[in-house]
Amino acid sequence: MTKEERIEQTEKALVHTYVRFPRIFERGQGVRLYDTEGKEYLDFASGIGVMGLGYGNEKLNEVLKNQVTLLTHVSNLFYTVPCAEAAEKVLKNSGMDRVFFTNSGAEAVEGALKAARKYYYTKTGEAGGEIIAMEESFHGRTMGALSVTGKEAYRKPFEPLIGGVHFAKYNDLDSVKALVNEKTCAIILETVQGEGGIFPAEKDFLKGIRELCDEKDILLILDEIQCGMGRTGDMFAWQTLGVRPDIMTVAKALGCGVPVGAFLMTENVAQKSLAPGDHGTTYGGNPFVTSAVAAVQDIYEEEGILDHVKEITPVLTETLDKIKDKFDFITAHRGLGLIRGLEFASSPSSVVSAAHEEGLIVISAGHNVIRFLPPLIITKEDVKEMEEKLTRALASYTS
Ligand SMILES: *Cc1c(COP(=O)(O)O)cnc(C)c1O
């Protein structure tokens, strides 16, 4: 089958929810991807921040092969060793007290919202807790996660969504305060806005939200699905910014390629929220995916991933600063650690495609940002190669 035939076969069969780039990938190794024509790519997107350890990590692969042979699923009506180990490790590295494993990021957000609603119900004896979310946020595509996603075009066709959600301006504490009422049960935000265009939360903003939540017994939910799992040089971005949530969501790099998410909470939230019968999942936390979670936590430690991110961050930052200064149509460079964005005067889609042609995978965010989410194992040489390839691709920019 030719490449074109394979693409047509896919397009005819799948629900058309994605406009895909015309590349068929076959395998990956380290920070590199290879397509069916044998072309090599340096990957600075890591499958939207999923492949934190890059492709083909041997320790992870060994654990997965072994677990496939032993047991992949048994349901949450029973205990398994990988689930217990994964939970203990994730709690240790997050400083949270309880975890619930899900199959995706959106489901982690669903669980977080349900926990917050139930907390309000336990506290007041009434349903109807309201939620403050942020404009330009992204929390996923299921009905609940969509309800708190701050992009009208994503929500509109699917209304009515869950009620009692109000949108504030990100990094604008007064706009959040203006929306608080006695029914507010939670404030949800990404610690670093990803899809919206790579906007890190300002420290004072987060601190102000934390104080507001403490004062009014409102739960702070931090969505760490994209920015968490080591990307900022700490296991979670809120650890970098110094503000602890009451509930947090994680997914993407949690299983480094194995589909798994989680929501975590403090003991206080656990005691007053979800109880037996309130929530569940058939697959969630099965021994296959949790063996990945536990292995990933171990590998981060053994391979010193967080220290490496701290070391390589200034290299990537300076390189992107330099690129920004060289081209006057690049209007900003933002980010934290290895989640970064270059903002353009208008859509950079021609540059993204030209980069792919040069053998560099980058993706966009928002309507005018090129997003950088490299595997956490990138080296100085990889950053240099990215710079060369991107610089050539930038010649194709047309405003
Ligand atoms: C990707 C993402 C989600 C949704 O995760 P899925 O696994 O696609 O459901 C939610 N929140 C943030 C911040 C994300 O980046």
Side-chain angles (χ1 to χ4, degrees):
M1 217 182 253
T2 67
K3 177 180 164 183
E4 287 66 33
E5 284 165 346
R6 188 65 81 189
I7 288 175
E8 200 190 315
Q9 177 192 37
T10 311
E11 288 299 340
K12 268 165 80 175
L14 294 190
V15 177
H16 194 237
T17 53
Y18 281 95
V19 179
R20 290 167 203 260
F21 296 108
R23 317 246 161 211
I24 308 175
F25 287 114
E26 192 166 60
R27 66 189 178 90
Q29 190 53 50
V31 298
R32 285 166 208 278
L33 279 170
Y34 300 85
D35 69 17
T36 47
E37 295 167 308
K39 186 176 162 77
E40 179 184 295
Y41 302 80
L42 173 67
D43 182 16
F44 266 56
S46 59
I48 322 186
V50 168
M51 304 305 285
L53 294 171
Y55 301 92
N57 182 286
E58 274 180 31
K59 284 180 202 158
L60 180 57
N61 283 357
E62 271 316 302
V63 168
L64 295 180
K65 283 181 207 166
N66 183 45
Q67 193 59 47
V68 164
T69 312
L70 273 177
L71 180 69
T72 54
H73 180 84
V74 69
S75 94
N76 285 310
L77 303 178
F78 303 94
Y79 298 93
T80 68
V81 174
C83 181
E85 288 185 346
E88 186 179 87
K89 285 170 203 218
V90 172
L91 292 177
K92 175 171 165 267
N93 288 333
S94 64
M96 293 276 123
D97 300 313
R98 302 261 174 182
V99 58
F100 184 106
F101 290 111
T102 66
N103 308 295
S104 67
E107 276 177 80
V109 172
E110 297 289 328
L113 297 176
K114 278 182 74 176
R117 279 263 176 96
K118 183 71 196 295
Y119 182 90
Y120 179 85
Y121 183 81
T122 305
K123 192 172 77 175
T124 64
E126 281 170 42
E130 298 191 355
I131 294 154
I132 298 175
M134 301 297 141
E135 291 173 9
E136 305 304 323
S137 64
F138 182 83
H139 297 290
R141 301 297 200 150
T142 54
M143 294 303 241
L146 193 55
S147 305
V148 292
T149 287
K151 216 172 160 191
E152 167 110 42
Y154 287 178
R155 293 195 312 266
K156 192 79 193 160
F158 306 102
E159 287 173 349
L161 297 168
I162 68 165
V165 177
H166 309 281
F167 290 96
K169 282 201 165 54
Y170 195 73
N171 278 333
D172 180 343
L173 187 59
D174 288 336
S175 86
V176 178
K177 284 186 173 161
L179 294 175
V180 171
N181 64 42
E182 64 289 351
K183 286 191 162 177
T184 308
C185 71
I187 299 174
I188 181 167
L189 62 140
E190 293 152 272
T191 322
V192 179
Q193 281 193 335
E195 304 294 321
I198 316 296
F199 291 93
E202 284 160 17
K203 266 190 180 175
D204 286 347
F205 173 67
L206 262 194
K207 222 174 125 237
I209 297 245
R210 181 68 273 175
E211 283 164 11
L212 179 65
C213 287
D214 288 341
E215 191 188 317
K216 311 230 180 232
D217 197 17
I218 295 168
L219 300 178
L220 173 57
I221 305 172
L222 290 180
D223 183 341
E224 291 264 341
I225 290 169
Q226 191 160 152
C227 59
M229 286 304 296
R231 204 154 271 287
T232 62
D234 293 289
M235 194 56 100
F236 298 103
W238 63 261
Q239 293 165 330
T240 306
L241 295 174
V243 169
R244 185 178 187 240
D246 302 293
I247 303 175
M248 62 177 277
T249 57
V250 51
K252 292 203 163 87
L254 181 63
C256 283
V258 171
V260 55
F263 61 100
L264 297 86
M265 59 184 74
T266 62
E267 191 61 32
N268 172 49
V269 177
Q271 290 304 330
K272 297 179 200 154
S273 65
L274 302 176
D278 280 335
H279 199 52
T281 165
T282 300
Y283 288 141
N286 81 22
F288 180 63
V289 301
T290 47
S291 74
V293 173
V296 165
Q297 299 287 321
D298 287 345
I299 296 167
Y300 269 54
E301 196 173 320
E302 288 158 20
E303 299 188 0
I305 297 291
L306 300 182
D307 286 342
H308 176 71
V309 171
K310 286 192 187 97
E311 229 176 86
I312 200 76
T313 289
V315 179
L316 180 61
T317 308
E318 280 157 31
T319 301
L320 292 175
D321 277 341
K322 205 166 88 189
I323 293 171
K324 177 195 168 275
D325 290 344
K326 221 159 109 184
F327 298 91
D328 56 6
F329 52 82
I330 302 180
T331 49
H333 167 213
R334 291 187 295 269
L336 207 59
L338 299 186
I339 173 168
R340 314 207 71 90
L342 288 179
E343 186 183 279
F344 286 66
S346 64
S347 166
S349 64
S350 63
V351 179
V352 170
S353 293
H356 296 178
E357 207 49 45
E358 291 289 342
L360 169 69
I361 299 297
V362 286
I363 55 176
S364 58
H367 58 96
N368 63 347
V369 173
I370 289 186
R371 167 166 43 164
F372 300 82
L373 292 170
L376 306 180
I377 57 170
I378 51 161
T379 62
K380 278 188 183 135
E381 291 70 37
D382 297 329
V383 175
K384 184 86 200 138
E385 184 182 331
M386 178 279 290
E387 181 188 3
E388 288 162 10
K389 288 180 164 167
L390 185 64
T391 302
R392 286 198 295 275
L394 281 163
S396 72
Y397 178 75
T398 46
S399 57

